[in-house]
């Protein structure tokens, strides 16, 4: 079955760095774009970044651009998020999520939302 | 960036009720609209993609409609396990923004 398992979260001081990992199994990892989504305590969902299936394209939320880097190693079925210059407001549960594909009501095969998610890893930025 | 606005932010309803949640995009997103359900301490779960297409395994009491800027999620007959927070999300253009969420509570 499809599984995404995040790791690497923890408590870190402002200005420091942390790298999250997301280990994938149960599907052909190299065929899917993967996203990072975060959720601050008691708040809603915030999209963070995406990387294309082959790693050739990536996009970031303005709130993390220039500080976070998304990458992947398709040989290891693993996604990464390198987080530098961390801020208190980066405190959140970080989820990785697969962008799926499916048929819409008109019969077109297209992106179908985030169909599988990891369990999340908590990052706390605090002095 | 495309802004997504959900209404209401919270909703109290009873088992068996019909419930509708709306989501409005700040510009046209065609049918690139997804709905998720999230329960406390859990990852979100995809319910509906492409505005009206069912994700595999989702009960038929959930349905979605709309295109352009206005969308709805309807639960035809609330079940106890449906009390959760619901989010819409546009996947038309990055950043793939989410609505602020609608918390569905038991009356």
């Amino acid at each position: 079955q499809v599984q995404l398992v995040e790791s690497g979260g923890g408590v870190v001081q402002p200005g420091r760095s942390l790298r999250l990992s997301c280990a994938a199994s149960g599907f052909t990892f190299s065929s899917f774009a993967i996203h990072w989504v975060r959720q601050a305590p008691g708040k809603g969902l915030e999209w963070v970044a995406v990387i294309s299936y082959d790693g050739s394209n990536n996009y970031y939320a303005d709130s993390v651009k220039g500080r976070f880097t998304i990458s992947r190693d398709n040989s290891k079925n693993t996604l990464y998020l390198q987080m530098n210059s961390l801020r208190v407001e980066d405190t959140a549960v970080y989820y990785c999520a697969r962008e799926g594909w499916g048929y819409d009501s008109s019969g077109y095969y297209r992106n179908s939302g985030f169909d599988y998610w990891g369990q999340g890893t908590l990052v706390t930025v605090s002095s | 960036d495309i802004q997504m606005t959900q209404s209401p932010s919270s909703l109290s309803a009873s088992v068996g009720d019909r419930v509708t949640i709306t989501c409005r995009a700040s510009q046209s997103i065609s049918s690139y609209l997804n709905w998720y359900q999230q329960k406390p301490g859990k990852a979100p779960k995809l319910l509906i993609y492409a505005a009206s297409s069912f994700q595999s395994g989702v009960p038929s009491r959930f349905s979605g409609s709309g295109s352009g800027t206005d969308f709805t999620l309807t639960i035809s007959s609330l079940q106890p396990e449906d009390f959760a927070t619901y989010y819409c999300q546009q996947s038309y253009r990055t950043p793939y923004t989410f609505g602020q969420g609608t918390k569905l509570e038991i009356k």
Side-chain angles (χ1 to χ4, degrees):
Chain A
Q1 72 282 20
V2 173
Q3 272 199 307
L4 296 167
V5 180
E6 301 95 338
S7 61
V11 180
V12 61
Q13 293 179 325
R16 303 298 291 264
S17 299
L18 205 60
R19 188 177 84 157
L20 305 183
S21 299
C22 169
S25 60
F27 67 102
T28 304
F29 181 70
S30 59
S31 295
F32 291 86
I34 308 290
H35 298 250
W36 286 102
V37 176
R38 69 184 181 182
Q39 187 168 36
K43 303 297 185 183
L45 301 170
E46 180 187 13
W47 179 85
V48 172
V50 60
I51 188 166
S52 60
Y53 68 100
D54 60 356
S56 62
N57 291 291
N58 49 59
Y59 301 93
Y60 300 91
D62 285 345
S63 57
V64 307
K65 200 174 296 181
R67 300 187 300 121
F68 290 12
T69 302
I70 189 171
S71 62
R72 65 191 297 161
D73 185 337
N74 284 347
S75 69
K76 295 182 178 179
N77 290 347
T78 303
L79 172 77
Y80 302 100
L81 186 67
Q82 178 66 43
M83 304 186 294
N84 297 333
S85 303
L86 282 162
R87 304 169 179 170
V88 171
E89 55 266 34
D90 294 320
T91 295
V93 173
Y94 285 73
Y95 298 100
C96 58
R98 188 183 86 166
E99 181 173 336
W101 288 84
Y103 289 96
D104 67 12
S105 57
S106 299
Y108 291 104
Y109 196 62
R110 48 179 282 181
N111 82 63
S112 61
F114 298 174
D115 58 355
Y116 287 94
W117 297 64
Q119 84 288 354
T121 188
L122 176 61
V123 173
T124 303
V125 185
S126 173
S127 54
Chain B
D1 296 357
I2 299 173
Q3 307 303 317
M4 306 301 294
T5 304
Q6 286 181 237
S7 62
S9 296
S10 64
L11 176 59
S12 294
S14 301
V15 173
D17 284 354
R18 179 184 179 91
V19 166
T20 298
I21 299 169
T22 65
C23 180
R24 175 165 288 177
S26 60
Q27 64 185 80
S28 177
I29 56 170
S30 183
S31 61
Y32 286 84
L33 191 283
N34 311 306
W35 289 99
Y36 300 87
Q37 176 194 68
Q38 187 181 32
K39 296 182 178 179
K42 300 293 187 181
K45 173 186 174 182
L46 178 65
L47 299 176
I48 302 285
Y49 68 91
S52 61
S53 297
F54 295 98
Q55 176 65 4
S56 175
V58 172
S60 58
R61 62 182 179 273
F62 291 92
S63 64
S65 65
S67 66
T69 60
D70 294 310
F71 302 87
T72 61
L73 173 71
T74 299
I75 310 172
S76 60
S77 178
L78 275 173
Q79 298 302 300
E81 61 268 28
D82 299 337
F83 292 95
T85 300
Y86 293 84
Y87 294 93
C88 63
Q89 179 211 26
Q90 63 84 14
S91 53
Y92 181 75
R93 176 184 300 149
T94 56
Y96 284 1
T97 39
F98 290 88
Q100 81 277 17
T102 296
K103 187 172 184 178
L104 180 52
E105 298 175 305
I106 301 174
K107 184 182 287 183

